């Protein structure tokens, strides 16, 4: 019975940690806590899985390296990364039809605001 309980706990932690990591990875391109959520998911997995601890350490190191690199860059590179992030957000909002809803609510008559996924 104890072995079944331990195995069940490991499976539940694997599922929960995996879901948290997946959600975090989906949020990475957007402003906000994407990487924090990924790291939290890996920390959950690391409580039961040794590989997750190694991946967590590796990912933290790469994130710190990226942050340090970006801070050393010229303001134009930093602004370009910020602009690219903005483009990702705007395209996502358009694809999810956020602008189409605003178009309909305000009766703007701008059909190009409607997402091709919702036409």
């Amino acid at each position: 019975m104890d072995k079944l309980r331990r195995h069940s706990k490991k499976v539940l932690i694997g599922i929960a940690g995996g879901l948290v990591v997946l959600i975090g990875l989906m949020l990475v391109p957007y402003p906000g806590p994407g990487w924090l959520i990924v790291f939290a998911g890996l920390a959950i997995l690391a409580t039961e899985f040794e590989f997750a601890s190694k991946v967590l350490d590796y990912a933290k190191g790469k994130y710190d390296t990226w942050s340090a690199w970006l801070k050393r860059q010229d303001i134009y590179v930093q602004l370009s990364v910020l602009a690219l992030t903005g483009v990702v957000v705007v395209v996502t909002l358009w694809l999810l039809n956020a602008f189409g809803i605003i178009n309909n609510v305000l009766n703007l008559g701008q059909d190009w605001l409607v997402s091709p996924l919702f036409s």
Side-chain angles (χ1 to χ4, degrees):
M1 190 66 161
D2 189 43
K3 189 174 182 178
L4 177 64
R5 181 181 291 187
R6 196 164 5 115
H7 183 68
S8 298
K9 178 184 174 191
K10 193 169 193 166
V11 168
L12 287 174
I13 287 176
I15 291 170
L19 285 173
V20 172
V21 168
L22 286 175
I23 291 168
L25 287 173
M26 288 187 292
L27 295 174
V28 164
Y30 306 103
W35 281 113
L36 180 63
I37 294 170
V38 170
F39 295 147
L42 287 171
I44 291 168
L45 290 171
T47 63
E48 289 292 325
F49 302 98
E50 180 63 31
F51 80 89
S53 179
K54 292 176 183 176
V55 171
L56 179 60
D57 291 339
Y58 178 80
K60 281 182 184 178
K62 291 297 179 184
Y63 178 81
D64 291 341
T65 301
W66 162 257
S67 295
W69 176 84
L70 190 58
K71 286 179 184 175
R72 290 191 311 268
Q73 298 309 303
D74 191 45
I75 188 70
Y76 299 111
V77 173
Q78 293 176 2
L79 290 174
S80 296
V81 170
L82 181 62
L84 182 60
T85 302
V87 168
V88 169
V89 171
V90 169
V91 169
T92 302
L93 289 172
W94 176 63
L95 288 173
L96 293 175
N97 205 38
F99 301 127
I101 293 169
I102 293 169
N103 180 49
N104 290 338
V105 168
L106 298 178
N107 204 17
L108 299 174
Q110 301 295 319
D111 293 336
W112 62 273
L113 289 173
V114 177
S115 168
L117 304 176
F118 290 86
S119 317

